[in-house]
Amino acid sequence: MPIPKKGVLLVNLGTPDGPEPGPVRRYLREFLSDPRVLDIHPVGRWLLLNFVILPVRPAKSGEAYQKVWMKEGSPLLVHSRALAAAVAERLRGEYEVELAMRYGNPSLPDAVKALRARGVKEFILLPLYPQEATSSTSSTVARAYEVLAEPWDALPMRVVPAFHDHPGFLDAFAEVARPVIAEARADHVLFSYHGLPERHMRKSDPSGQHCLASASCCEVLTDVNRHCYRAQCFATTRALAERLGLAPGGYTISFQSRLGRTPWIKPYTDLVLPELAQKGVKRLAVMCPAFVADCLETLEEVGLRAREQFLESGGESLTLVPSLNAHPAWVDAVVRLVRETDGARA
């Protein structure tokens, strides 16, 4: 009996097709209609989306996208395509590889259709989010299962788990960061992660008693919090700081991109920046280890807006450490993650 052909789905969160308000509006509508992202009552979500967010946000976000848009398209898509091409070359003869976005294009249904057309009968899903969260990882996994179950015969899929502490991921990010930090002569490193509402954290706490119950609840991974996004961010930070030889007082962790009035996980990046400047930090390097590809949140939010804020607060320079993009060490790590997941099956 022939061995079933295997396919790899590399999935990132998504990006609009263009920086204009129209494409941005379509993207935001799909993204924010997901109940795992905007987790409020369906009627409230519809009203908030259509009467508060979509009338204003597309134009504002479009202006931000235009500042970082590349000739080839969205930075996230450009870098993700380069990664997928490099991984496909490395896995040639072993796996068929396709890139997909959870929201926007290339879509998950189109990627699965392309792999099925090439004879793929088994799938390996790699959500490109180092730290797991319901609004990213779980949403992507759930949607992938839906797509694979649409035909009469649902196809099997194995999922690469969150890789926040995987040596390949950590070594690759350290390799990218080390020369940038040295060249910038940084006297402090800020690890800025994408934020999430606090309620998301609490809803993922099986005990209902541990999450955000104390200032130190995320400092150590335990059986209770090992799937907590914030705790995984702290674990990634500790591991990268060790690899980079950073002293305990030589780095800070924070969370960016908060929206709305409800509490998000702390500390907030936009509040930490002036505090660091006031403490005497002059040359700041910023790493964003929640993102494996440079995108709006790294290039515009940190590389432009955060830099401006830090300089206005008294700092001398802010250097954004590039993300992993298609760095050879990251390609090696992705290949390793795929092979380890496939080899781990029972």
Side-chain angles (χ1 to χ4, degrees), residues 248-322:
Y251 65 92
T252 301
I253 184 172
S254 64
F255 298 89
Q256 63 185 81
S257 309
R258 75 183 190 276
L259 293 171
R261 299 178 180 178
T262 59
W264 282 45
I265 50 178
K266 301 176 181 68
Y268 300 142
T269 296
D270 61 335
L271 298 185
V272 167
L273 288 169
E275 291 175 356
L276 290 174
Q278 291 164 13
K279 291 178 180 178
V281 174
K282 295 299 182 183
R283 297 181 301 277
L284 181 66
V286 183
M287 297 179 63
C288 301
F291 306 95
V292 299
D294 278 314
C295 54
L296 185 71
E297 286 79 4
T298 64
L299 299 173
E300 193 275 335
E301 187 175 354
V302 173
L304 297 179
R305 276 191 283 148
R307 175 181 288 122
E308 181 179 1
Q309 182 188 12
F310 184 66
L311 297 182
E312 290 177 349
S313 300
E316 293 179 0
S317 67
L318 183 151
T319 300
L320 171 65
V321 174

Side-chain angles (χ1 to χ4, degrees), residues 187-244:
D187 50 18
H188 200 86
V189 176
L190 176 64
F191 293 88
S192 181
Y193 294 83
H194 199 287
L196 288 174
E198 287 186 354
R199 66 177 184 274
H200 283 204
M201 301 294 96
R202 293 193 172 95
K203 288 168 72 171
S204 296
D205 177 10
S207 71
Q209 300 176 351
H210 180 83
C211 184
L212 303 178
S214 69
S216 61
C217 65
C218 290
E219 291 182 0
V220 178
L221 280 178
T222 67
D223 289 338
V224 175
N225 70 355
R226 94 173 39 260
H227 296 289
C228 168
Y229 172 81
R230 188 173 184 269
Q232 290 183 356
C233 291
F234 274 76
T236 297
T237 300
R238 290 193 298 269
L240 286 173
E242 180 179 358
R243 280 167 168 77
L244 294 169

Side-chain angles (χ1 to χ4, degrees), residues 29 43-56:
R29 182 181 295 280
V43 174
R45 181 168 55 249
W46 188 90
L47 291 172
L48 179 63
L49 186 58
N50 288 280
F51 290 97
V52 178
I53 298 175
L54 292 181
V56 177

Side-chain angles (χ1 to χ4, degrees), residues 105-244:
N105 297 304
S107 70
L108 262 168
D110 286 347
V112 169
K113 181 178 180 180
L115 289 174
R116 288 176 67 101
R118 300 206 293 273
V120 168
K121 300 297 184 183
E122 295 183 10
F123 289 79
I124 296 172
L125 175 71
L126 202 174
L128 292 168
Y129 324 117
Q131 302 81 23
E132 62 183 297
T134 298
S135 56
S136 55
T137 312
S138 296
S139 177
T140 296
V141 173
R143 178 59 178 148
Y145 276 122
E146 287 177 359
V147 172
L148 289 174
E150 286 173 359
W152 178 256
D153 295 315
L155 296 177
M157 180 180 74
R158 290 179 298 283
V159 180
V160 178
F163 46 88
H164 64 95
D165 59 351
H166 192 277
F169 163 70
L170 296 168
D171 291 344
F173 231 124
E175 185 173 334
V176 169
R178 195 173 290 111
V180 177
I181 294 172
E183 184 178 354
R185 295 183 298 115
D187 50 18
H188 200 86
V189 176
L190 176 64
F191 293 88
S192 181
Y193 294 83
H194 199 287
L196 288 174
E198 287 186 354
R199 66 177 184 274
H200 283 204
M201 301 294 96
R202 293 193 172 95
K203 288 168 72 171
S204 296
D205 177 10
S207 71
Q209 300 176 351
H210 180 83
C211 184
L212 303 178
S214 69
S216 61
C217 65
C218 290
E219 291 182 0
V220 178
L221 280 178
T222 67
D223 289 338
V224 175
N225 70 355
R226 94 173 39 260
H227 296 289
C228 168
Y229 172 81
R230 188 173 184 269
Q232 290 183 356
C233 291
F234 274 76
T236 297
T237 300
R238 290 193 298 269
L240 286 173
E242 180 179 358
R243 280 167 168 77
L244 294 169

